[in-house]
Amino acid sequence: MSLPRINGRAVVMVLYLAFLLVPIYWLINMSLKSNAEILGSFSLWPRNLTFENYVTIFTDPAWYWGYINSIIYVTMNTVISITVALPAAYAFSRYTFMGDKHLFFWLLTNRMAPPAVFALPFFQLYSSVGLFDTHIAVALAHTLFNVPLAVWILEGFMRGVPKEIDETAYIDGYGFGRFFVKIFMPLIASGIGVTAFFCFMFSWVELLLSRTLTSVNAKPIAATMTRTVSASGLDWGVLAAAGVLTIVPGALVIYFVRNYIAKGFALGRV
């Protein structure tokens, strides 16, 4: 009797998935334990299951407002970045002008710079004009990094649309605005979905600028998690529950744009 043959690729895939999922499982495991159990003994699952950590998140304004603030400025940033990037990407994909390649490269260099470089200038600027600790301040700061990325991704998708479609639409009497919204944008819907995903994820996970430019009224959940220290030390269970809930929005966005992301990889632009 011969033993079943072990598929090497399947083993590698299982080990890879385990490597990815163990930290997430451990985070969920900690979120369902009390602080005493987390610090007291090692266990692979909660011995005394509790949802108090999640109750704290949903009932304490200091916690749930962090999520609301994050969602507000992330949504604002995604909308602004895509709105600005769409006409810019169209210009790069359809027209040739002096210095176009140099300008395109210059846009990407903004994305290459670390956020720490711009933290102090943004702080001084927004403090002087009265935008400090507002959602729009963080949203605008993040556009410095998201707009170049959005232009780069969208330009690749737009370049794949034949120029004859533009000419045919103009012959049929379409103005540019009507053509762009009703004909051109549906053709690059997958590119817009991919762009929205990357803009959302950068703005959602970015910490330095969002922490520097906010104090109370617009403080995001990432900043709330880094400032949560009581007299007895860190509340590990609440922090773990906050971490679990922080993963949920990103997972939902990935689920809804997963097909667009696959098309982006297939076109070689992501």
Side-chain angles (χ1 to χ4, degrees):
M1 182 177 180
S2 60
L3 295 174
R5 186 176 180 181
I6 299 176
N7 191 326
R9 287 181 293 182
V11 172
V12 172
M13 181 60 67
V14 170
L15 292 176
Y16 178 69
L17 289 175
F19 177 78
L20 293 178
L21 294 177
V22 164
I24 298 177
Y25 167 75
W26 202 253
L27 189 67
I28 298 173
N29 180 33
M30 289 178 59
S31 70
L32 299 174
K33 295 179 179 180
S34 64
N35 217 37
E37 184 177 352
I38 294 174
L39 299 175
S41 60
F42 175 86
S43 60
L44 296 177
W45 51 82
R47 296 176 181 174
N48 298 305
L49 186 67
T50 178
F51 292 96
E52 287 298 321
N53 298 319
Y54 291 96
V55 172
T56 300
I57 298 293
F58 288 113
T59 57
D60 187 349
W63 280 107
Y64 65 73
W65 267 107
Y67 288 100
I68 295 174
N69 291 331
S70 295
I71 291 173
I72 290 174
Y73 75 68
V74 168
T75 303
M76 293 173 65
N77 170 259
T78 302
V79 172
I80 294 172
S81 297
I82 293 178
T83 302
V84 173
L86 278 170
Y90 183 84
F92 280 116
S93 67
R94 287 297 189 264
Y95 305 113
T96 300
F97 49 90
M98 183 180 298
D100 55 349
K101 292 183 174 57
H102 298 290
L103 180 59
F104 193 72
F105 177 76
W106 176 79
L107 282 173
L108 290 178
T109 59
N110 287 341
R111 188 64 182 86
M112 299 173 189
V117 174
F118 302 100
L120 183 59
F122 275 133
F123 176 81
Q124 197 279 332
L125 175 63
Y126 290 151
S127 297
S128 60
V129 299
L131 288 179
F132 177 75
D133 200 19
T134 61
H135 301 104
I136 190 64
V138 184
L140 291 176
H142 286 174
T143 58
L144 179 66
F145 301 93
N146 279 341
V147 168
L149 180 64
V151 171
W152 182 72
I153 295 175
L154 289 171
E155 190 270 344
F157 281 90
M158 291 179 180
R159 194 175 290 276
V161 178
K163 293 183 179 180
E164 289 75 13
I165 293 179
D166 307 38
E167 299 168 357
T168 303
Y170 296 147
I171 293 174
D172 291 342
Y174 279 82
F176 176 76
R178 187 180 171 204
F179 154 74
F180 194 82
V181 173
K182 291 192 173 183
I183 298 178
F184 196 75
M185 286 182 61
L187 294 174
I188 58 166
S190 57
I192 296 175
V194 171
T195 305
F197 164 74
F198 281 102
C199 290
F200 177 91
M201 292 308 297
F202 170 82
S203 191
W204 182 258
V205 303
E206 198 280 328
L207 173 61
L208 181 62
L209 290 176
S210 59
R211 182 175 181 177
T212 304
L213 301 177
T214 59
S215 177
V216 178
N217 297 327
K219 185 168 68 172
I221 186 59
T224 303
M225 293 175 67
T226 60
R227 297 173 181 174
T228 305
V229 182
S230 63
S232 58
L234 289 173
D235 195 337
W236 296 103
V238 174
L239 285 174
V244 172
L245 295 175
T246 303
I247 295 174
V248 172
L252 291 175
V253 172
I254 292 175
Y255 176 79
F256 286 114
V257 302
R258 64 191 186 282
N259 294 328
Y260 293 149
I261 296 175
K263 290 180 181 179
F265 278 107
L267 291 174
R269 202 49 162 170
V270 180

